[in-house]
């Protein structure tokens, strides 16, 4: 079977609500941070469906023995926030994946060429081949940063088929690049906007997610 990039836009009312809050230019930084946290939480919740490894067992309830399913603690999980904007989604993701290791990856985009460069890399030399990796990156615009992140991860043994990306707004240029390079990927985003301007920003988007999260 030919692999194909899958992009999900969950129709959850809470995702729609917090996306509206994040889009509003009048939203103050403190509320924008709350919106990002909530979007990180609910998008991670959606991404975890049929992704987290489980194990079946039995437990003794107060009235008898019954079947039970747990998250398998032996399978490693990792969250990789793309700095700095990806930190906004991290807190919400961590509440649902408290046992996941956090590996920071700092990427900055040249304002003229729009090409990314790495200024911080806290990834391990090698990931276990079964590691589930969740990448948090609010804006998938031109695709340069997320492609660079995927290159760094796959070089260290990460399987794209076991990787999930959560974003707030995605655009066709990034999705096309990801689909061509990593067709096994699955992305969960609050919305897809059709336009990226000459400065590499998604329109209407939500502006600079890093600046709005940190009030800078």
């Amino acid at each position: 079977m030919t692999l194909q990039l899958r992009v999900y836009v969950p129709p959850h009312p809470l995702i729609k609500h917090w996306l509206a809050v994040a889009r509003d230019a009048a939203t103050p930084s403190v509320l924008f941070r709350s919106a990002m946290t909530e979007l990180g939480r609910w998008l991670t919740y959606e991404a975890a469906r049929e992704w987290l490894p489980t194990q079946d067992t039995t437990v003794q309830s107060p009235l008898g023995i019954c079947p039970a399913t747990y998250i398998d603690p032996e399978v490693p999980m990792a969250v990789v926030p793309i700095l700095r904007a990806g930190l906004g989604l991290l807190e919400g993701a961590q509440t649902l994946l408290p046992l996941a290791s956090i590996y920071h990856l700092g990427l900055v985009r040249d304002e003229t060429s729009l090409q990314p460069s790495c200024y911080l890399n806290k990834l391990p030399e090698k990931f276990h081949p079964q590691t589930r990796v969740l990448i948090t990156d609010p804006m998938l615009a031109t695709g340069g940063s997320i492609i660079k992140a995927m290159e760094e991860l796959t070089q260290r043994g990460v399987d794209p088929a076991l990787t999930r990306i959560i974003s707030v707004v995605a655009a066709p240029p990034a999705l096309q690049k990801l689909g061509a390079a990593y067709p096994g990927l699955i992305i969960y985003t609050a919305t897809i906007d059709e336009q990226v301007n000459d400065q590499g920003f998604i329109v209407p988007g939500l502006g600079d997610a890093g600046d709005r999260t940190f009030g800078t």
Side-chain angles (χ1 to χ4, degrees), residues 74-76 124 126-133 156-159 162:
E74 299 300 319
V75 177
K126 201 72 175 176
F127 284 90
H128 186 282
Q130 291 301 309
T131 303
R132 270 59 172 178
V133 176
R156 291 164 171 79
V158 168
D159 184 352
L162 300 179

Side-chain angles (χ1 to χ4, degrees), residues 27 182 195:
T27 297
Y182 304 101
Q195 185 178 351

Side-chain angles (χ1 to χ4, degrees), residues 170-189:
L175 298 179
Q176 290 164 4
K177 289 179 182 177
L178 286 168
Y182 304 101
L185 270 175
I186 298 179
I187 298 169
Y188 286 81
T189 183

Side-chain angles (χ1 to χ4, degrees), residues 102-186:
I102 311 299
Y103 300 103
H104 297 87
L105 186 63
L107 300 174
V108 63
R109 188 172 66 176
D110 184 273
E111 293 183 1
T112 302
S113 69
L114 303 182
Q115 294 303 306
S117 59
C118 183
Y119 65 88
L120 178 71
N121 189 331
K122 290 296 184 178
L123 301 177
E125 287 298 319
K126 201 72 175 176
F127 284 90
H128 186 282
Q130 291 301 309
T131 303
R132 270 59 172 178
V133 176
L134 181 78
I135 302 172
T136 66
D137 190 0
M139 311 298 289
L140 303 180
T142 63
S145 294
I146 194 64
I147 288 290
K148 177 67 173 174
M150 286 300 303
E151 290 173 352
E152 295 290 341
L153 288 164
T154 54
Q155 288 171 8
R156 291 164 171 79
V158 168
D159 184 352
L162 300 179
T163 301
R164 299 289 183 269
I165 298 171
I166 61 169
S167 72
V168 178
V169 185
L175 298 179
Q176 290 164 4
K177 289 179 182 177
L178 286 168
Y182 304 101
L185 270 175
I186 298 179

